[in-house]
Amino acid sequence: MTTNCVYCNEEEDKQLQPGLVCESCFCFVHLKCLRNAGTPGDFVCDVFFDFTCEDCSSDKLEVFVRNKFPWVNVIYLTLNHLNCHSYGISNRGYFHYKTHICSFIDRNWQALFGSNSKQKKNWIGTIAGVLSIYNKLVFKSGSADLGEMGWWKLQHNFSPAVAAHIIQEVARDKPLGMSRNQLTLDNTFFISRITNMGYKDYIIEEKDSEMSAPAPNKKRRLEPPEPSVSDFQERDSNSRLDNLEECVYEDSYNMDATEGSYPELEFKEFDFTPTSQIPNMQHTLFFYDSDSRSGSEQEKKLETKPKKTEEKPVRRESLFSTELNSEDLPWTTTPRAETNVVEMTQYEEVQLLKQIEGLVTKVKDSARRASLHRLKAKLTLRRLKRHKHLPIFTFDKTVKLLSGHAAEDPRQVNNVERVLDRFQRSFLMDNLCGTIASTTHGTLLLSRMEALPFRSPYSGVTLKPYIRRDTETCTTWMKLMDELLRKTHRHIKDYEPPARMSIDYSYVRPQHIAAVNNLCAQFFWPGIDLTEALQYPEFSCVVTYGRLVVGCAFLVPDAGHSTAYISFVLTRPEWGRAGIATFMLYHLLQTCTGQDITLHVSPTNPAIFLYQKFGFKVEELIQDFYEKYYDIEYKGCRHALFLRLVR
């Protein structure tokens, strides 16, 4: 195998000119010399492919097949790409492992792992573990520089090809019997090994990293720091004089600039005590950068703080008023923190909105009524934005984000729509305060329709008119009807009720929608519209007895990457314990044999036992999941369990 490119005849350089090796003829090709515009995914320096050159390919085109490369290389490739193309979103070169790294991998999952690979539920935890294992070797944590956990960047200036080579060689030096998740190497030995491999020029040596203790940049300094000895040593007399002359309170100093004399300082070890008073030295500290000094110098504090001279307030004329302002600067005063303020939850906002709805008509004072109307409009707008999946403006959170005190949560930025929201019509828009009672009463019967085969608009497959026709099952409702008929016809001798009809299982049709919506509104919440299910009827099941809908079940096939979602499973209570829900769930599972299936269910719903029989496992409890669907007067459980069936 030659290390010269077959196109440009230049040698291989894993750092500056990485490339790929053909699996058939073992020829080397630089990434920049590929006949294609780039590798699949267009990641920077992506060499993790099984490559076949155009001479060895059957169709005379270059072939790229993603190989199974370890997670450490995936993360390194991600950080290298973000550092080259998205450095502007970083925090001093650091990227957050959830906001940036995991989000990037999730968006480019197929390009990184191939179309046949599916996400496992603990892949985010795997990323966090790999970052911790290879900390101070190829990755660097930002906890020391930023004062916040979860920020990472590359430790050295290696390309992904060089990093993969180093990780492969270093892994061979691990002692026998050590787990692959353990990589405890001495940093000195690691650097020496890299030097022997010829990559010394790309090592970033941290200078005085242990000597300095940088202050976190997430905390805004409200008051200027106290001066240290080094600050006075590095500034000569001329610079000190110039800064004092430029001070706002220059007239109060009464210092003679022509003499060049300054207050003498008596030094004692690392602290000093001024022998003469330095007037308001605090203002001169804005002319130097204390963060540029090392941490050891910052810890050298004054033994005694300089006394402040009593200064007369400077009265200046306002630009907006004829009154004279005070000398206090509003941005230099520390705001008083409110200790008893607690943020309201969404449920409490809805309760407050309902109370205001009832108070508006009772308040007679026009000023107070106007205030209630304004507060009602604000709360109504916030709930309407939540219903429309729009970001809600929060002043405190915005200030923290702009000042760098907190990182933005991508789940809140994107405001991902729930699957159940697809089936929610504008009922909440008319009932934003939660005071309108549901007007869905009674039972809708189906119209007459012919049982004919039809073609699915989702897959184009011809679907039969019935999935199953059950003539043997006898439910509680059927037995009750037989008893009522015998009771009412007891005067007829040897009376026998008419033959029972079959329980029909069929795919959803347009004639079912009105009755199904009515059924779901009675047993779930108002505003459900299952019209979307007509787009993929093979993933549905509607159970009818004559013209009565007794149950239904629906599944969304495209809920996520290789994941389906069961939206609704419902059976009338009087038709329960007859195996109807069991068959509907079995039918839905058979339609998606190659996908994980997820669902949400209330912790108080006995259907959990049915899901567990089919292999569903509880992953998490989501609090207030159903808050946006149920009315404000609903007294049941608003939480939900998230279940998954792994295939």
Side-chain angles (χ1 to χ4, degrees), residues 109 141 242 276 290 293 295 306 314 323 348 354 412 486 505 542 596 612 623 626:
W109 185 272
S141 174
D242 295 338
S276 62
S290 62
R293 291 357 182 221
V314 178
E323 298 292 332
E348 291 173 344
K354 181 184 176 182
Q412 298 179 4
R486 288 190 176 93
Y505 299 79
V542 178
D596 289 359
Q612 290 179 341
Q623 296 186 356
Y626 295 113

Side-chain angles (χ1 to χ4, degrees), residues 299-316:
E299 294 176 356
K300 302 173 184 177
K301 302 296 182 180
L302 289 173
E303 186 175 5
T304 59
K305 297 183 180 180
K307 298 180 180 179
K308 296 183 180 180
T309 59
E310 295 182 359
E311 302 169 354
K312 295 181 179 180
V314 178
R315 300 177 67 84
R316 55 192 181 276

Side-chain angles (χ1 to χ4, degrees), residues 321-507:
S321 174
T322 57
E323 298 292 332
L324 295 179
N325 297 329
S326 63
E327 74 283 3
D328 294 334
L329 302 179
W331 52 84
T332 61
T333 59
T334 305
R336 184 174 60 182
E338 297 290 344
T339 57
N340 297 327
V341 176
V342 180
E343 185 178 359
M344 296 181 64
T345 62
Q346 297 182 16
Y347 183 69
E348 291 173 344
E349 285 188 16
V350 178
Q351 286 182 323
L352 179 60
L353 181 61
K354 181 184 176 182
Q355 294 176 2
I356 295 175
E357 181 79 12
L359 289 175
V360 168
T361 57
K362 299 179 182 179
V363 176
K364 298 181 179 180
D365 187 7
S366 60
R368 295 183 178 179
R369 191 186 304 112
S371 300
L372 289 177
H373 277 293
R374 286 194 297 269
L375 182 56
K376 175 188 173 184
K378 292 179 181 179
L379 295 176
T380 303
L381 179 61
R382 289 174 63 87
R383 196 175 190 204
L384 181 60
K385 282 188 173 182
R386 291 192 183 100
H387 177 64
K388 291 291 186 179
H389 314 290
L390 298 175
I392 299 176
F393 175 79
T394 304
F395 183 78
D396 295 337
K397 179 181 176 181
T398 305
V399 170
K400 290 182 180 180
L401 292 176
L402 294 177
S403 59
H405 282 74
E408 199 151 13
D409 192 351
R411 294 173 297 181
Q412 298 179 4
V413 174
N414 299 333
N415 203 358
V416 180
E417 182 179 358
R418 298 177 182 175
V419 180
L420 290 180
D421 294 337
R422 301 185 187 180
F423 308 100
Q424 194 72 20
R425 58 174 180 258
S426 60
F427 174 79
L428 285 180
M429 296 179 62
D430 302 330
N431 190 28
L432 290 174
C433 61
T435 57
I436 302 177
S438 174
T439 57
T440 304
H441 300 288
T443 301
L444 293 181
L445 299 179
L446 297 177
S447 60
R448 300 290 182 179
M449 60 180 181
E450 297 182 2
L452 298 175
F454 65 99
R455 185 176 297 274
S456 169
Y458 183 81
S459 60
V461 178
T462 301
L463 302 178
K464 297 180 180 180
Y466 296 108
I467 302 173
R468 177 193 179 193
R469 305 195 74 177
D470 185 6
T471 58
E472 298 178 357
T473 301
C474 183
T475 64
T476 304
W477 187 87
M478 292 180 179
K479 296 178 181 178
L480 179 61
M481 291 297 103
D482 289 347
E483 292 181 5
L484 290 176
L485 289 174
R486 288 190 176 93
K487 189 71 174 179
T488 55
H489 296 82
R490 61 181 180 274
H491 59 280
I492 301 177
K493 187 178 180 180
D494 299 332
Y495 172 81
E496 289 294 333
R500 300 191 185 100
M501 295 180 291
S502 62
I503 302 175
D504 298 331
Y505 299 79
S506 59
Y507 302 102

Side-chain angles (χ1 to χ4, degrees), residues 89 167 350 455 537 597:
I89 66 175
I167 293 170
V350 178
R455 185 176 297 274
I597 299 179

Side-chain angles (χ1 to χ4, degrees), residues 590-626:
Q590 292 300 314
T591 58
C592 293
T593 56
Q595 291 180 311
D596 289 359
I597 299 179
T598 60
L599 59 89
H600 290 91
V601 61
S602 175
T604 59
N605 192 340
I608 297 177
F609 302 106
L610 174 63
Y611 299 137
Q612 290 179 341
K613 289 181 181 179
F614 280 90
F616 284 86
K617 302 296 182 182
V618 178
E619 287 195 357
E620 62 176 328
L621 172 66
I622 304 176
Q623 296 186 356
D624 296 328
F625 178 82
Y626 295 113

Side-chain angles (χ1 to χ4, degrees), residues 267-279:
F267 291 92
K268 181 179 180 181
E269 295 180 355
F270 292 101
D271 298 330
F272 73 95
T273 303
T275 57
S276 62
Q277 187 175 2
I278 301 177

